[in-house]
Amino acid sequence: MSRGRLRVYLGAAPGVGKTYAMLGEGRRARERGRDVVVGLVETHGRPRTAALLEGLEIIPRRTVVHRGATFTELDVDAVIARRPKVALIDELAHTNVPGSKNVKRWQDVDEILDAGIDVVSTVNIQHLESVNDVVQEITGVPQRETVPDEVVRRADQIELVDMSPEALRRRMAHGNVYAPEKVSAAMSNYFRVGNLTALRELALLWVAGKVDDQLDRYRADHGIATTWETRERVVVALTGGPEGDTLVRRAARIAARTKGADLLAVHVTSADGLAGADPASLARQRTLVEDMGGSYHQVVGDDVPRALLDFARGVNATQLVLGASRRGRFAQIFSRGVGVETTARSGSIDVHMITHEEAKQGRRRPARTRAALTRTRRASGWALSVAGMPLLTAALAPFRDMLSLPSEILFFLCLTVGVALVGGMWPAITAAVGGSLLLNWFFTAPVGEFTIAAPENLFALVVFVLVAAAVSTIVDIAARRTREAARAGADAELLSTMAGHVLRGEAAVSSLLERMRETFGLTSVTLLERRPEAARAPDQHSDPDAWRIVATSGGAPATCPGRSDTDVVIDEELVLAARGEPLEAADRTVLEAFAAETAVALRQERLQQEAELARPLAEADRMRTALLAAVSHDLRTPLASAKAAVESLGSTEVAWSEQDRSELLATAKESLDKLDRLVANLLDMSRLQAGVLGVSAQPLALEEIVPRAIDDLGPLRDRVEGDVSVELPDVLADPALLERVLVNLMSNAVRFSPPGQTVLVTASGHGDHVEIRVMDRGPGIPPEAHDRVFQPFQRLGDRDNHSGVGLGLALSRGLAEAMGGTLVPDETPGGGLTMILTLPVAAPGR
C-alpha cells in the first residue's frame, strides 16, 4: 500500500483564509470525482467558511472526557475505516486532549497517511517549532502548540495563503475574523501592522526555503548540474590559512548586498592543494562564518577545483570567493593553481579572486610530497620516457668518440630517474628498457647492431636496467605510501570534524546525514529502519514495505536497501542507504563510521524522548517523597494547636473567663482553618497529578471575579488594589478554580510585601488571551529561581516551618494549566515580584 500525499496550507496569521482555501480545494476535488470527507474543520463561527461545508461528508468527532470536562477530537479510526481518497483535517499543530490515541494532531495525520489516504491540512507560521521563539519575541505571545518543521517539510505540497496586513485588518474590521466586540482588542495587540508584516516575512522566507529544497531535489533527480540563479548564494573557499578571515568578511559583504542571500563556507580536504590545514585556524574561521549567519561545510576531493565547483553547483551557488594564490611565481610556472583552474571551469558561477597580504608570499607550512601521482604527472612521465630517450640519444651522438660508455650510461640513468620522479614506475621501467636498447645500438661496439663485444659493457647495461628499475619502484612505492598517508589524514580530519559536531551538540540525525551527503558528493542519504511488523525474509532487502524512512537528506530517498547504490548495515534494524556514485573501499570505511554515529544520535534522541515521558513519573515520585517529609510537621502543628485549645476549654480544673474562652475558640478555629486549607491543597494537588481534577470552563467577566477574590482575603483585603477594565473580553475558565488561584497569588503577594505597601492587580487583553498581573513590592525572586518557586514543597526564603507545605504557587500553576492558561513570574519594575496569569479568551457564542 502506497503512502498518502500530504498537502498543507500555510498562513502568516489567523484569519488569512487557510481553512477557506482547504475547503475550496476539497470541493474542487469532489467535483473531479474524488471521494472527499471532512475529518475535522474549525469554522470559528465564520459564516462564509461554514457555508463551504455544505454538501461535504463530515466524519463525526470522537468525544473525550478529561478532568470532568467534555471535548471533541478527530476520530482517526473512523477516518481510516471510511477509507476516502482525501481527508480534510484542520489545525495540524493542535494538541489532543490527554487520553487521546496520539499526543499531537500531526501524529493522527501521519497515521492516516500511512493508511494510504491523502490529507489536506492547515497550519500557521507561529506554530512551526523553528520560529516559535521568534514569533513570541515579535508578538509577545507564547505559542504552546507547535509542530516540528520536518513534519511540514515532508509534505508533498505546501501552499502559502498570503494576505497583506492591511487587507487582513480590513477583514477583521468587517467582522469576518472575530466577533465585533473582540476586534478592537485584537487589532491593538496581536494584529498590529508591524506584527503582521513580520509574520508575513517569516512565512514567505520559510516557504522560500521549502521551494529551494524542492528545486534541489528536482535538479538532482533530473541530473541538472548547471546553476539556476534563483537566489544569491555566495560560497567562500577556506584553506585554513591566515587569509581566511579576510575572505570570510569579504564574502559576507558580497552576500549582504542582496537581501536574503546565503553565505556558505567550504573546506576541501584533499591530497594536495588545500590539504594539511591547521585545525585551530579552521575552527576559528568556522566560528567567524557562523557568527556572520553563514554555514560551514567540508568535502573530500583529490581535484580541488572540481570539488569546489561540484559543491558550489550542488548548493546552486551563484558566486564563489577564492583567495589569490599564496604560491610564488616560480611555482605558478609549473601549475596554474586552484584559483585559475576554478575560474576556467566555473561556467555560469561568478568567481571573485580576493587579494590579501599573504598572496605570492609562498606557503608557510613545510613542503610535502604530493599525495598521489595525478593523471597529468603520469602522462608527463610517459611523454618524457617516449620522447626524452631519443632526444638524449640525438644530443649525445655527436660526442660518441669523446665519451666512454659509463659516462653515457650515467646520462641515461639520470633521465630514467627523472622519468621515475615525474611519472612513477612503469614509465621509468619503459625508459630503462628503451635506454638500454639505444645504448646498445648507438654507443656500444659494434655500433649499429644489437650485439655486445666486450663482457664489461654487457654487465654495465644490465646494472643500468636494474638500477633504473629499482629507483622507479622505490619512487612508486613512496608515492603510494604518501597517498595512503594523505588519505588517512583526510579521513582523520573528517572524523575529527564529526566528533566536533557531536561535542557541540550538533549530532542530530538530519545534520549527520547532510554532512555525509556533502562529504561524499552523494545524491541522497537515507536512514532506514525495519518495520516491527515486517517478517524477516530473504527478499526484504528490496521490499519498500518492510522499511521505514527515519530521516533523509538530498534528492529522492532510497525506500529500501536494494534500491540504493551503497548500503551500510548498522545493526539488525537500521541500514544506511546512499544514492550516487559507488564509493571506494576507503570511503566506505569512513561512511561506516558516519553510519555508526548516526545510529548513536538516533538512539540518543529516542532516549531523550523516553526520558521526557518518564519525567512526570519521577516528578510524582519525588512529590510523594516530599509530601511524606513535609506533612508530618505541617499537619501536626495545626492539629496540636486545635487539640490544646479544645482540651483547655474542656478542662474543669481552670475557670476560664469569657475573654480567655473567646481566645481559645479563635485559636482552635484558626488552626482548623489552616488544616482545612492544607488538606484541600493536598487533595487538589493529588487530583492534578492523577488528572482527575474536574474543570468546568465557562466565559467569565474578570471585573466580577477579581473583586470577589479580593473579598475572600478577609482582613488582608485592605492591602490589595484592583484595576480591571470592564471593556476586557471574557475569559474561558472555571470560576471556583480561578478565584482560588487569585486568592493564592494575592495572599502570597501580601505576605511578602513591606508594611504599608499595597498589592496591585491589573488585567489587559492581548489578542486571543488575557493577562492578569499580581504585583508586589517585596524582595522578589532571583531569575534563576523562577522555575523552582513552582515546585511543590518549596518555600524560598522561609525558614520558620509555619507557612504550610509550600503548595500555594505549585497548585496555582497546576490549576491555571488545567484551565488552559499559564502562570509565570516576572520582576516588578522598581523591585518586587509580578505573577502573570494568562487565560484564553472565550470564543464568541460560548
Side-chain angles (χ1 to χ4, degrees), residues 288-481:
L288 179 61
V289 170
E290 292 174 346
D291 289 343
M292 293 186 173
S295 59
Y296 176 86
H297 308 265
Q298 184 166 304
V299 297
V300 174
D302 292 329
D303 186 342
V304 178
R306 179 179 178 181
L308 284 174
L309 291 171
D310 284 347
F311 174 81
R313 293 188 178 108
V315 298
N316 208 22
T318 56
Q319 303 188 61
L320 180 59
V321 177
L322 302 173
S325 177
R326 282 185 281 141
R327 300 181 309 151
R329 293 182 179 178
F330 182 76
Q332 294 182 27
I333 295 175
F334 298 95
S335 174
R336 295 197 297 176
V338 173
V340 177
E341 285 290 338
T342 304
T343 304
R345 305 183 199 174
S346 62
S348 60
I349 300 177
D350 298 335
V351 179
H352 302 264
M353 295 289 292
I354 307 301
T355 59
H356 48 85
E357 294 181 355
E358 303 296 326
K360 297 185 179 181
Q361 298 299 314
R363 295 187 180 274
R364 298 187 180 182
R365 64 174 187 264
R368 45 186 283 181
T369 306
R370 297 177 72 86
L373 296 181
T374 63
R375 187 175 300 175
T376 302
R377 285 187 58 183
R378 292 188 181 277
S380 301
W382 282 109
L384 186 60
S385 173
V386 173
M389 288 298 175
L391 290 175
L392 179 60
T393 301
L396 294 178
F399 306 99
R400 181 166 42 197
D401 296 333
M402 301 173 55
L403 297 173
S404 63
L405 181 61
S407 300
E408 293 161 341
I409 288 176
L410 287 176
F411 278 108
F412 275 83
L413 182 61
C414 288
L415 180 57
T416 303
V417 172
V419 172
L421 292 173
V422 173
M425 181 174 66
W426 293 110
I429 290 178
T430 303
V433 173
S436 66
L437 295 175
L438 291 173
L439 283 168
N440 189 356
W441 183 270
F442 289 101
F443 300 103
T444 305
V447 177
E449 297 180 13
F450 286 113
T451 57
I452 301 174
E456 63 271 16
N457 291 340
L458 174 63
F459 179 75
L461 288 175
V462 171
V463 171
F464 162 72
V465 173
L466 292 177
V467 170
V471 170
S472 60
T473 302
I474 292 172
V475 170
D476 189 74
I477 292 174
R480 292 178 183 276
R481 295 292 182 268

Side-chain angles (χ1 to χ4, degrees), residues 817-830:
E817 292 177 349
M819 294 184 291
T822 60
L823 180 62
V824 295
D826 197 6
E827 296 181 3
T828 301

Side-chain angles (χ1 to χ4, degrees), residues 107-129:
Q107 295 170 319
D108 295 338
V109 169
D110 206 45
E111 191 172 335
I112 294 172
L113 291 171
D114 285 338
I117 301 171
D118 294 347
V119 175
V120 184
S121 189
T122 65
V123 70
N124 274 330
I125 188 67
Q126 69 262 28
H127 295 302
L128 296 181
E129 188 67 53

